[in-house]
Amino acid sequence: MPITVLFAAGDALWADYNAALGTAFSEAELNINLVQQADPGAVDYIIYSPGSTLTDFTPFTRCKAVLNLWAGVERITGNPTLTQPLCRMVDPAMTESMVEWVVAHTLRLHLGTDTHVLGQDGVWRQDPTRPTKIARERPVTILGFGELGQACGRALMALGFPVTGWSRRPTALTGARCLAGADSLDTALSGAEVLVLLLPLTPETENVVNERTLSLLAPGAFLINPGRGPLIDDAALLAALDAGQVAQATLDVFREEPLPADHPYWAHPRVTVTPHIAATTRPVTAARVVAENIRRGETGEPFLHLVDRQRGY
Ligand code: NAP
């Protein structure tokens, strides 16, 4: 009897995922009937992504797990009809992509590359008396030291940046200063010259970057946010940019997406906006993660990347 898997992640993703999931299921020797429509009572697993038209999980009485294609789950954890186990996506290719994006923007801001790349105006700005800093002189703090935060931390340390990582529970990463818990937030931020946000959005993390916490950074710090928009109090960031406390911000995620055309971030000379493209789930590698979780569900092994509803991530 085949396992029925409902693909509730939208038509736009169907063609790519249909092919990738077919391959992954067959590699995992799973007999799967992958469908876009089904009698809810017959569905064993749901593959889901935010923006799906599926909002009521109540009729899926046989469903053993909802497998989210996104790493962030804030748009689904609050759904009261979702009582089935929920797994988030940890996709190795997405992690690589996030590392590339974070390293690229850290280096861009660290080296001041924009000055030379943008708006060349015929002025020779070499100043041999003020060499640029090297990486080991530029402390980086990463709020959210999980899958993505630690991968970025490793890559930045390999380039020489001193890295501090902040998480909820104690963690360890060789070479990094690892801090945990609300009591150590101020220590994590104090004197940071680059702040990278890779926290999930939960009631505890919303507005973690605010007037008070921004004031703890080194004057003229750089802020990089590929986490979630509401981690930042936008008015406080704009004020810190105008005061020079934050020299530049590179933002990939926003409270409202797409970012409205009249939002001050678009026009701000020291803000770079990217349209939530830091790291996208890749069908081939993500399909293997989905297949592994279905295999686990069928053999009674614990699911990978299970979301804790109490924590919200
Ligand atoms: P993860 O492995 O769950 O890591 C989350 C980290 O945040 C963990 O270290 C966790 O601490 C920490 N954390 C959560 N709540 C906290 C709190 N209240 N105080 C201190 N630390 C807290 O998640 P991930 O896979 O790295 O993904 C992180 C986020 O990146 C996602 O939730 C999503 O919002 C974002 N993202 C963005 C993109 C993009 O394209 N822009 C792509 C993928 C993901 P513990 O280790 O103690 O649990």
Side-chain angles (χ1 to χ4, degrees):
M1 171 104 167
I3 303 159
T4 299
V5 177
L6 177 67
F7 187 83
D11 290 340
L13 298 179
W14 170 247
D16 284 349
Y17 274 94
N18 187 24
L21 287 163
T23 305
F25 291 153
S26 111
E27 280 169 4
E29 297 181 4
L30 293 166
N31 178 14
I32 303 254
N33 179 28
L34 180 65
V35 292
Q36 283 192 286
Q37 300 284 342
D39 165 13
V43 169
D44 296 299
Y45 298 88
I46 298 173
I47 298 173
Y48 179 86
S49 84
S52 165
T53 52
L54 174 56
T55 52
D56 183 7
F57 292 87
T58 317
F60 294 91
T61 48
R62 195 169 102 180
C63 175
K64 294 179 195 151
V66 175
L67 308 170
N68 197 43
L69 290 181
W70 285 26
V73 289
E74 74 280 356
R75 283 165 67 181
I76 188 176
T77 41
N79 184 329
T81 70
L82 176 58
T83 52
Q84 299 86 347
L86 170 66
C87 301
R88 67 190 198 91
M89 178 51 65
V90 176
D91 165 16
M94 176 170 59
T95 303
E96 286 175 45
S97 158
M98 182 62 85
V99 168
E100 290 175 11
W101 191 89
V102 167
V103 168
H105 287 287
T106 303
L107 284 175
R108 174 188 140 242
L109 296 168
H110 162 67
L111 295 171
T113 312
D114 289 359
T115 310
H116 306 292
V117 171
L118 306 173
Q120 296 197 14
D121 54 6
V123 179
W124 188 259
R125 292 195 173 81
Q126 188 193 56
D127 180 357
T129 63
R130 298 191 61 203
T132 52
K133 284 193 179 195
I134 52 176
R136 69 179 156 79
E137 298 166 333
R138 182 91 70 189
V140 177
T141 288
I142 303 176
L143 298 188
F145 217 39
E147 293 285 344
L148 300 175
Q150 291 205 16
C152 293
R154 268 186 225 102
L156 291 169
M157 284 192 293
L159 290 167
F161 291 99
V163 168
T164 295
W166 184 69
S167 54
R168 205 170 55 88
R169 297 160 297 182
T171 185
L173 178 67
T174 305
R177 181 173 68 146
C178 297
L179 300 171
D183 291 349
S184 64
L185 175 63
D186 290 8
T187 309
L189 293 173
S190 292
E193 295 192 24
V194 181
L195 177 60
V196 179
L197 304 181
L198 276 167
L199 288 162
L201 177 59
T202 70
E204 284 75 42
T205 62
E206 182 162 6
N207 292 326
V208 67
V209 174
N210 54 47
E211 185 184 354
R212 192 191 72 79
T213 52
L214 284 168
S215 74
L216 299 170
L217 303 175
F222 302 127
L223 174 63
I224 301 176
N225 185 17
R228 282 293 181 262
L231 299 173
I232 298 176
D233 173 339
D234 294 320
L237 174 57
L238 286 163
L241 281 158
D242 291 341
Q245 171 61 8
V246 173
Q248 288 191 65
T250 293
L251 311 173
D252 185 56
V253 283
F254 304 91
R255 232 161 251 276
E256 185 182 347
E257 293 181 9
L259 185 67
D262 61 353
H263 195 285
Y265 284 151
W266 280 116
H268 200 289
R270 291 191 304 286
V271 175
T272 301
V273 170
T274 62
H276 201 146
I277 43 80
T280 313
T281 308
R282 314 288 154 133
V284 170
T285 40
R288 290 191 194 123
V289 178
V290 168
E292 170 60 10
N293 257 338
I294 293 176
R295 188 197 67 72
R296 284 167 171 260
E298 293 307 292
T299 55
E301 292 171 59
F303 289 116
L304 297 173
H305 319 309
L306 196 60
V307 172
D308 179 330
R309 306 296 167 84
Q310 290 296 110
R311 287 186 332 205
Y313 67 98

